[in-house]
Amino acid sequence: MVDTTNANLLSSLSRRLIREGLLDEHEALSAQADAKQKNLAYIHYLSSTGRIDSDLLAYLVAEEFGLPYLDLDTFDSRYLPKKIVDEQLLRKHQALPLLQRENILNLALSTPTNLAAIDEIQFQTGLIINPIIVSEEKLHQALEASLETDIGALGDLDNAELEALEVDNTPVEDDNLSFDGSQDDAPIVKFVNKILLDAVRKGASDIHFEPFEHSYRIRSRIDGILHEVTRPPLSLRGRLAARIKVMARMNISERRIPQDGSIKLKISKTRSLDFRVNTLPTLWGEKLVLRILDASSAKLGIEQLGFDADQRELYEQALAKPQGMILVTGPTGSGKTVSLYTGLNILNTTERNISSAEDPVEINMEGINQVNVNAKVGLTFASALRAFLRQDPDVVMVGEIRDLETAEIAIKAAQTGHLVLSTLHTNSASATINRLMNMGIPTYNLAASLQLIIAQRLARKLCEKCKAPCDTPKQVLLNLGFTEEELSNNTIYKAVGCSQCTSGYKGRSGIYEVVKITDALADLIMQGASAREIDLKAREEGFIDLRKAGQKKVLAGILSIDELTRVTME
C-alpha cells in the first residue's frame, strides 16, 4: 500500500513497480532521487542497477505508457533497415530502426520519455516515428551488432551460393583495411569479413580455418572452448586462404612452409581490430589460425583478474619492490600475458624505464619499449635482455624463459637492482622451481632472486541469467575436497544455457596459485628440494593451490563443478 503522503512524489511507473512487488515505496523513492541526482532517465537507472529483469521492466514500461513491446530475441537482425538514420544519432539516443513501411519508421527505444530521440530522428529522416519499447540491455547489444556489421555482410549462404563466390585478389596497398564498402565487391571478401566480425562480437580468442579431405571447417574458440561456426564447400579452401593471406601481407604463392602475418582492420572511425595470422601446410591444404588481439585486456584493473584479496595483495607487494623476479606460469591460453600486462600497467609511470621482449608483441602499450624477438636475425630473448641491461632499465619483461642462457641473464638482472617479469610453461609454482633447477640455474641464485610465482588457469564463468542449483550428490562433492561446513553455507550451481550465453557459460575468470618465496621456502630451494616438498611447505605457509582457489569460486557461484574439474584436473 502506497503512503498517501508520498503518492504525489512517485511517478506512475514507480507506482506500477510497487503494485507488481518489484520495489517497495522506500526503494522507489530512493531510485527516483538517485536517478535525478545522476541526471539519468529513471528507466535507464533501473535497468543499469540490475535490480529488475531488463525484459520484465521493458514490458511493464510499454504497458504503463500504452506502447507496443518487442522482445528483440525474436527479431531477425538481418532484416533491419540500413543507413536510414545517421549512426551518430543512433548512438547518441540508443535507438534502433526496426522496420520502414512507406512513411512510417518503427523505432526501438528503451525509454518512451526520450522525446528528443523521436524529434531528431523524425526531422533527419522525414518519416513518422512509431516508438517500440524493448529491453535496454538487448537494445544496446543489437545496436552495436547492427552498426559494427553494417558492411554488406551476406548472412547465411547455402552451399550453392558459396560455390559461386569469386575471390578478390586485388593487392592491398593501405596499411589499414577498412570496412567502408570499397572492399565489398566480391562476396568472398564479405564472407571473410563476416566470419571475423562475428567471432569478435562473440568474444572469441581464435578462429580456425581447417581443410580436410572431404570437408572444410571453420571454428571459433570462445571462453577457451572451440565451437564449429560453419562448413563452407571444400572448393573454397584455396580462395579463403588466399583472401586471408592477402589481408595479412603474406606470400599467397607460397604454400609449402608456415607463414606468419598480421591484420589490422579498421571497422569504424573509433575502433580497429588486430589479428595475428599463422598458416600451416597440412595434407589437404593450408590451415589458418587467426588470434584476435584485444588491446583492452592490457588495461584491465588488477581487481578484474579474479585474484583473491590475499593473492592480489601479494602480487601488488611484489610489483612495488625495486628488484627481484616475478614468474607467471601455466599452459598456453591460460591468461599469463594479461596478468603480466596488468602488472606492467601498474608500473607504467614516467619515473620508470620499462622494456619488454616478446615473441611476438601482442598488445601495444604506450610508455613501454617493446621489442619483437626475431631469431632469424639473431634477436633472441637472451640478446634482447643483454641490450636492455645497457639501456638503464628499471623494469624488464621477458615474454618467456625458454633456455638456460635467457634464465641466467634474467636471474642476474633480478639480482642487480632490476624488477624482472616473465613466464614459464609449467603446471604449478613448485614445478616452476624444479624446472629452473633442471635448466641448470644454481639453487642459491634462485633462492636469492625469486620473489613471487603465480600459477594460473582460465575457467569459464557461469551465466548469471540461467545458472541453476546443482543436484550433485553430497558425497561426490566431499570427495572433491569440499567440507561439510562449506556445503551447508553455500549453494553450488550448474550450467544450463540460454540465449545470452554459450552452453551456460559467459566470460572467463582466472584461478590462481600465488606463492611468495618466504625464508622457509628459500631454505628448501637452497637444499634442492623436490617439487612435492616445496608444494607441501607452500601449503604450510598458507598459500592455496589451484584446486582450492577454484573451489572458492564454485562456492561463490562463479564456476561449476564440471568446469573446476576440467580446468584443474590432476
Side-chain angles (χ1 to χ4, degrees):
M1 190 71 178
V2 178
D3 188 337
T4 54
T5 58
N6 288 325
N8 61 334
L9 299 176
L10 290 166
S11 67
S12 62
L13 178 60
S14 287
R15 289 194 289 272
R16 176 64 183 272
L17 295 175
I18 292 171
R19 289 198 304 273
E20 297 289 341
L22 298 171
L23 294 177
D24 61 31
E25 183 182 336
H26 173 74
E27 289 171 330
L29 287 168
S30 177
Q32 284 185 187
D34 284 351
K36 185 175 181 180
Q37 184 180 6
K38 295 176 181 177
N39 197 27
L40 295 175
Y42 184 42
I43 296 166
H44 173 71
Y45 175 82
L46 290 173
S47 181
S48 65
T49 60
R51 176 69 187 273
I52 302 172
D53 179 77
S54 184
D55 287 307
L56 176 58
L57 178 61
Y59 177 77
L60 294 175
V61 168
E63 271 205 342
E64 193 62 30
F65 284 83
L67 293 171
Y69 163 79
L70 173 69
D71 183 351
L72 282 174
D73 283 343
T74 66
F75 194 87
D76 193 333
S77 62
R78 289 181 296 172
Y79 300 111
L80 290 172
K82 304 290 184 182
K83 302 188 182 303
I84 289 179
V85 183
D86 183 73
E87 179 180 328
Q88 289 183 335
L89 268 184
L90 296 180
R91 289 192 184 278
K92 174 183 175 183
H93 294 298
Q94 287 294 290
L96 181 66
L98 294 173
L99 179 68
Q100 181 186 356
R101 284 184 177 169
E102 297 181 350
N103 66 333
I104 297 176
L105 177 63
N106 288 338
L107 187 71
L109 295 167
S110 62
T111 306
T113 55
N114 189 359
L115 300 180
I118 296 172
D119 291 342
E120 288 187 40
I121 293 174
Q122 184 166 305
F123 179 79
Q124 192 240 314
T125 61
L127 301 172
I128 298 171
I129 304 301
N130 181 32
I132 309 287
I133 301 302
V134 298
S135 152
E136 180 164 307
E137 182 181 333
K138 291 179 181 177
L139 173 61
H140 179 72
Q141 294 171 353
L143 179 61
E144 289 301 313
S146 172
L147 296 178
E148 287 182 6
T149 57
D150 186 15
I151 59 172
L154 28 147
D156 298 325
L157 301 182
D158 59 30
N159 283 350
E161 291 172 308
L162 285 169
E163 288 281 7
L165 295 180
E166 294 181 2
V167 67
D168 176 10
N169 278 325
T170 306
V172 181
E173 297 177 0
D174 190 353
D175 284 341
N176 293 323
L177 295 170
S178 176
F179 289 147
D180 58 4
S182 61
Q183 309 258 351
D184 287 353
D185 297 331
I188 193 75
V189 178
K190 297 179 183 179
F191 179 73
V192 172
N193 290 348
K194 183 178 188 302
I195 292 294
L196 301 189
L197 289 174
D198 282 351
V200 170
R201 191 168 64 247
K202 292 175 182 176
S205 59
D206 303 86
I207 313 168
H208 294 240
F209 293 79
E210 303 169 304
F212 300 101
E213 183 177 8
H214 302 297
S215 64
Y216 193 93
R217 179 174 67 183
I218 299 176
R219 295 187 293 172
S220 291
R221 189 179 293 278
I222 301 172
D223 294 336
I225 304 294
L226 281 169
H227 300 270
E228 186 170 307
V229 175
T230 186
R231 283 181 177 260
L234 184 60
S235 59
L236 282 181
R237 61 184 171 186
R239 288 179 276 180
L240 286 170
R243 173 58 190 163
I244 294 170
K245 287 166 75 174
V246 165
M247 296 169 75
R249 310 295 191 276
M250 294 177 175
N251 182 354
I252 62 172
S253 63
E254 179 57 77
R255 304 182 185 91
R256 300 164 299 174
I257 59 174
Q259 294 188 64
D260 290 296
S262 62
I263 299 172
K264 187 176 185 67
L265 296 176
K266 186 176 181 182
I267 62 172
S268 71
K269 293 179 181 178
T270 59
R271 190 179 179 198
S272 62
L273 302 174
D274 294 287
F275 300 81
R276 190 177 78 210
V277 185
N278 178 264
T279 69
L280 179 70
T282 69
L283 191 61
W284 306 109
E286 286 183 288
K287 174 181 177 177
L288 296 97
V289 176
L290 283 67
R291 166 65 59 88
I292 302 170
L293 307 177
D294 185 5
S296 64
S297 63
K299 299 179 175 63
L300 286 178
I302 193 169
E303 66 281 351
Q304 295 173 265
L305 294 183
F307 285 109
D308 285 350
D310 292 342
Q311 294 176 331
R312 174 181 166 182
E313 185 178 356
L314 288 172
Y315 191 20
E316 289 176 331
Q317 287 175 354
L319 290 170
K321 293 187 177 180
Q323 65 182 46
M325 179 179 280
I326 299 172
L327 291 177
V328 182
T329 75
T332 301
S334 60
K336 300 187 297 295
T337 300
V338 172
S339 293
L340 283 182
Y341 271 116
T342 302
L344 286 182
N345 207 32
I346 293 171
L347 296 169
N348 190 9
T349 63
T350 54
E351 294 82 17
R352 292 188 179 94
N353 176 22
I354 304 176
S355 297
S356 76
E358 303 166 63
D359 183 21
V361 172
E362 294 192 0
I363 300 169
N364 178 37
M365 284 191 75
E366 186 74 22
I368 294 178
N369 307 290
Q370 296 172 282
V371 174
N372 256 325
V373 168
N374 187 349
K376 292 179 181 177
V377 297
L379 182 55
T380 62
F381 281 119
S383 60
L385 198 46
R386 284 196 195 92
F388 290 166
L389 296 180
R390 295 191 289 270
Q391 293 266 318
D392 183 32
D394 296 299
V395 180
V396 170
M397 186 184 100
V398 185
E400 183 184 348
I401 294 178
R402 296 177 178 172
D403 51 47
L404 176 59
E405 184 181 15
T406 306
E408 285 179 334
I409 301 169
I411 292 285
K412 186 180 294 183
Q415 290 177 322
T416 55
H418 308 95
L419 183 62
V420 178
L421 291 79
S422 189
T423 71
L424 216 62
H425 284 280
T426 59
N427 292 325
S428 65
S430 55
T432 300
I433 295 169
N434 272 180
R435 171 80 185 278
L436 291 169
M437 288 179 184
N438 293 336
M439 278 186 181
I441 300 296
T443 55
Y444 56 85
N445 279 342
L446 276 181
S449 58
L450 274 178
Q451 295 282 354
L452 192 76
I453 302 175
I454 301 173
Q456 68 178 76
R457 302 289 187 276
L458 282 179
R460 294 177 295 169
K461 295 195 294 185
L462 285 165
C463 173
E464 290 295 330
K465 295 280 187 182
C466 65
K467 68 181 182 182
C470 181
D471 54 4
T472 305
K474 186 176 183 180
Q475 189 56 48
V476 173
L477 297 175
L478 292 172
N479 292 341
L480 287 172
F482 294 94
T483 66
E484 288 274 5
E485 183 181 0
E486 288 172 338
L487 296 177
S488 62
N489 294 330
N490 299 279
T491 301
I492 293 179
Y493 293 90
K494 64 180 179 181
V496 177
C498 67
S499 61
Q500 302 295 312
C501 65
T502 304
S503 303
Y505 298 97
K506 188 173 184 179
R508 288 194 288 179
S509 177
I511 300 175
Y512 301 93
E513 175 190 14
V514 181
V515 176
K516 177 184 176 182
I517 305 303
T518 61
D519 291 341
L521 285 170
D523 288 341
L524 275 182
I525 294 171
M526 287 283 289
Q527 298 165 21
S530 68
R532 176 65 176 164
E533 292 170 322
I534 293 171
D535 193 59
L536 288 173
K537 179 56 71 174
R539 303 292 86 80
E540 287 179 20
E541 296 282 283
F543 304 121
I544 61 174
D545 60 11
L546 287 166
R547 175 57 72 93
K548 193 63 184 177
Q551 287 176 351
K552 285 189 172 185
K553 291 186 182 291
V554 169
L555 295 170
I558 298 171
L559 304 183
S560 68
I561 291 292
D562 290 342
E563 187 66 3
L564 172 67
T565 304
R566 183 186 74 84
V567 172
T568 64
M569 188 179 295
E570 296 178 357

